[in-house]
Amino acid sequence: MEKTTKASPPSLRWSILRRALLPHRRLPQDDEQSRADANHISRKNSRRGFNLIPFEAVTQPGDPDSPSTVEAGRAVVRYTLPVDGSPGLLLTQRLENQADLHDFEICNTYNVDNTGLVCSWPSEEVLAYFCLSHADMFRCKKVIELGSGYGLAGLVIAAATEASEVVISDGNPQVVDYIKCNIDANLKMFGGTKVMPMMLHWNQTGVSEISNSYDIIVASDCTFFKEFHSDLARMIKSLLKQPGPSESILLSPKRGDSLDKFLYLIAKEGLRFSVTENYDSEIWKRHQGFVNGDDSWPGYQKDHCYPLLVRIMHESREPYS
């Protein structure tokens, strides 16, 4: 019988980081710089993704919407929201292969993963698109995004749904620096919505000031590491507003038994959940295309690539429509 060894948390994080520790690439300097920059952005969607929200690299020095200075190893990307009259959002993201050993040190110091910096993941874009399609449910609501990475979904909610407050959080201080940068770059887009970054680790104690505070929690692909399941389940229960209707909206692939194990813990916390496979006609159409031979996403696997819609709420509450 073959023996298996459970990987330690540091080794799991190293497997995420190792690709990024390859020698750095130089940015192209020719007339096709914008397209090449977009391909180098740490973003699975540039070649593999649902491509629901068009994006382009902002590389022209005189672009009035581009920040005046961009640090080496970073790129600014403009996302054009597919809604009439909605603004373009600017996100500063890390270029591929710009990580160093300091990333690994941060992960071990704070007991967090580095996935928020490795790339912008497809599930985050799906979450952002879903929130755009259901903008009414966020109007006048207090919202927090957990494990937000570069913050695309949270910024979309802030810019296009008239939420009263949006908190964009992550447990990795490097990621939170990007979140702050991206909020500052889009302040004029938020209208009367209050938007804040937050350093929030899921096992963090002393968060009583934000407990029972949020009408809606959103997150994407946050059940990747089973070691964080218990903390995430407890944090969701803590943050959901009581009394009154509240819910958590997660977009997450099954990833073997990972999602099922997380939902088992959600039930143990006394929370109710539903899982929906076909929740948006456009997302479903693209998923079906990849399953049936569209080779624009090489190696597409439903179990690991297609995010299911998970809605979590207190036992006695009903979800928003």
Side-chain angles (χ1 to χ4, degrees):
M1 180 176 178
E2 185 179 357
K3 294 183 179 180
T4 58
T5 303
K6 184 178 180 180
S8 65
S11 67
L12 287 171
R13 290 192 283 270
W14 176 253
S15 68
I16 297 292
L17 282 169
R18 61 184 178 184
R19 281 190 66 247
L21 294 175
L22 297 171
H24 297 180
R25 301 181 191 173
R26 289 187 176 183
L27 288 174
Q29 301 298 326
D30 56 25
D31 292 338
E32 296 184 351
Q33 182 171 349
S34 180
R35 183 193 305 174
D37 282 356
N39 287 336
H40 284 187
I41 292 162
S42 288
R43 175 183 169 84
K44 291 294 183 188
N45 306 49
S46 61
R47 293 174 298 276
R48 302 178 183 181
F50 294 91
N51 295 314
L52 297 159
I53 303 179
F55 73 98
E56 61 180 349
V58 178
T59 58
Q60 300 302 320
D63 192 319
D65 293 326
S66 179
S68 56
T69 59
V70 179
E71 293 183 17
R74 297 183 176 189
V76 180
V77 183
R78 181 186 290 109
Y79 290 81
T80 303
L81 307 187
V83 175
D84 291 342
S86 290
L89 287 172
L90 295 174
L91 269 72
T92 297
Q93 302 181 351
R94 178 181 280 184
L95 299 177
E96 285 184 354
N97 300 332
Q98 296 296 314
D100 56 37
L101 288 175
H102 180 62
D103 294 345
F104 192 43
E105 295 168 359
I106 290 289
C107 288
N108 285 332
T109 299
Y110 291 90
N111 190 30
V112 294
D113 63 77
N114 195 57
T115 53
L117 291 177
V118 169
C119 66
S120 182
W121 296 90
S123 293
E124 172 82 355
E125 184 198 25
V126 172
L127 174 61
Y129 185 86
F130 177 85
C131 294
L132 275 173
S133 301
H134 297 80
D136 287 349
M137 72 182 298
F138 296 97
R139 184 170 292 117
C140 301
K141 300 297 190 293
K142 290 183 64 175
V143 183
I144 185 168
E145 183 180 10
L146 303 179
S148 62
Y150 294 117
L152 176 62
L155 291 168
V156 165
I157 294 169
T161 71
E162 299 181 15
S164 62
E165 178 180 307
V166 178
V167 175
I168 306 175
S169 74
D170 203 277
N172 187 321
Q174 293 176 295
V175 176
V176 174
D177 286 342
Y178 278 91
I179 295 170
K180 291 176 181 176
C181 175
N182 291 332
I183 290 174
D184 290 344
N186 294 284
L187 287 175
K188 65 182 181 180
M189 306 297 188
F190 302 145
T193 300
K194 183 179 180 181
V195 188
M196 299 173 292
M198 181 181 289
M199 174 79 173
L200 182 63
H201 199 293
W202 299 335
N203 70 358
Q204 191 171 321
T205 58
V207 293
S208 58
E209 69 278 6
I210 60 173
S211 294
N212 305 320
S213 295
Y214 295 97
D215 300 296
I216 303 178
I217 299 169
V218 298
S220 60
D221 212 353
C222 283
T223 63
F224 186 94
F225 291 116
K226 295 177 184 177
E227 61 184 291
F228 299 137
H229 282 180
S230 295
D231 292 333
L232 177 58
R234 285 193 294 267
M235 182 61 72
I236 288 173
K237 182 178 181 180
S238 173
L239 294 178
L240 285 173
K241 186 174 74 175
Q242 290 194 92
S246 60
E247 72 170 305
S248 179
I249 298 170
L250 276 63
L251 270 294
S252 181
K254 284 186 65 67
R255 297 191 184 278
D257 65 353
S258 181
L259 181 59
D260 289 338
K261 286 184 177 295
F262 170 72
L263 293 176
Y264 171 77
L265 295 174
I266 284 292
K268 284 190 67 176
E269 290 291 335
L271 298 171
R272 183 159 54 99
F273 67 85
S274 65
V275 180
T276 306
E277 184 178 32
N278 184 355
Y279 48 86
D280 181 275
S281 59
E282 183 62 31
I283 297 168
W284 184 253
K285 182 178 73 174
R286 299 190 186 203
H287 161 63
Q288 289 294 304
F290 295 132
V291 169
N292 294 315
D294 181 347
D295 61 0
S296 62
W297 188 338
Y300 183 87
Q301 296 179 9
K302 176 180 178 180
D303 185 67
H304 291 276
C305 301
Y306 181 70
L308 302 174
L309 172 64
V310 180
R311 303 180 79 160
I312 301 168
M313 63 214 73
H314 291 287
E315 278 289 350
S316 59
R317 305 302 176 190
E318 292 299 322
Y320 294 113
S321 58

